Amino acid sequence: MKITIGSDHGAVELKEEIKTVLADFPDIEVKDLGTFGDTAVDYPDIAEKVCQTVVTGEADRGILLCGTGIGISIAANKIKGIRAALCTDVYSAKMSREHNNANVLAMGGRVTGFGPAGEIVKVWVTTEFAGGRHARRVDKISALEKE
């Protein structure tokens, strides 16, 4: 699986921790699109870069991080084909994949600790979409983009 990750300046430390967690999965290849320091950047720009890799198929999934995860998830969900889920707990991460087929995970570097974030990421990357009745609902979400 290919995962593209990106953060604004408010979540660089969390991004580095998540990359360490993902390194434990030999079948996951991670590409980091920045930012790499504490100089302020605009989270919509990071969201666009990461989400474009998912939409084009360069990456299977994306992970986005900002201070709270809110702004970057809102920006990501403006991009056609993206289903970004802001997850603050393991259950939400599992359901975002199993029921919603979320292709982008969003979290907040200033509100989610390293330990919980690691557990969220582990569940999110290992949970598959359940399909079935959930596929019909995801199709309806995709149809909203056409209106």
Side-chain angles (χ1 to χ4, degrees), residues 81-99:
I82 295 300
R83 291 176 307 282
L86 172 57
C87 297
T88 58
D89 59 82
V90 170
Y91 182 75
S92 296
K94 182 175 177 58
M95 292 300 102
S96 79
R97 287 288 310 132
E98 196 172 283
H99 290 191

Side-chain angles (χ1 to χ4, degrees), residues 44-107:
D45 298 334
I46 301 297
E48 182 178 22
K49 286 184 351 183
V50 169
C51 290
Q52 286 304 319
T53 69
V54 175
V55 170
T56 63
E58 179 184 336
D60 301 299
R61 298 185 200 168
I63 298 176
L64 290 170
L65 312 160
C66 69
T68 63
I70 297 168
I72 208 158
S73 65
I74 291 170
N77 279 313
K78 298 294 182 183
I79 299 170
K80 185 176 180 179
I82 295 300
R83 291 176 307 282
L86 172 57
C87 297
T88 58
D89 59 82
V90 170
Y91 182 75
S92 296
K94 182 175 177 58
M95 292 300 102
S96 79
R97 287 288 310 132
E98 196 172 283
H99 290 191
N100 309 118
N101 201 15
N103 52 11
V104 172
L105 170 65
M107 290 189 294

Side-chain angles (χ1 to χ4, degrees), residues 4-142:
T4 304
I5 190 169
S7 73
D8 75 355
H9 55 281
V12 172
E13 289 180 24
L14 182 59
K15 181 180 60 150
E16 294 305 316
E17 289 293 323
I18 289 171
K19 286 167 43 180
T20 300
V21 169
L22 291 172
D24 290 338
F25 292 87
D27 60 331
I28 294 179
E29 177 185 327
V30 178
K31 182 176 183 180
D32 186 345
L33 295 182
T35 197
F36 301 101
D38 58 4
T39 302
V41 297
D42 296 333
Y43 57 79
D45 298 334
I46 301 297
E48 182 178 22
K49 286 184 351 183
V50 169
C51 290
Q52 286 304 319
T53 69
V54 175
V55 170
T56 63
E58 179 184 336
D60 301 299
R61 298 185 200 168
I63 298 176
L64 290 170
L65 312 160
C66 69
T68 63
I70 297 168
I72 208 158
S73 65
I74 291 170
N77 279 313
K78 298 294 182 183
I79 299 170
K80 185 176 180 179
I82 295 300
R83 291 176 307 282
L86 172 57
C87 297
T88 58
D89 59 82
V90 170
Y91 182 75
S92 296
K94 182 175 177 58
M95 292 300 102
S96 79
R97 287 288 310 132
E98 196 172 283
H99 290 191
N100 309 118
N101 201 15
N103 52 11
V104 172
L105 170 65
M107 290 189 294
R110 295 179 179 148
V111 296
T112 306
F114 295 160
E119 295 305 310
I120 290 167
V121 168
K122 288 175 191 176
V123 166
W124 193 78
V125 299
T126 58
T127 301
E128 294 300 324
F129 180 48
R133 70 182 190 275
H134 305 294
R136 181 181 72 247
R137 295 165 184 159
V138 171
D139 288 345
K140 287 183 176 189
I141 292 169
S142 296

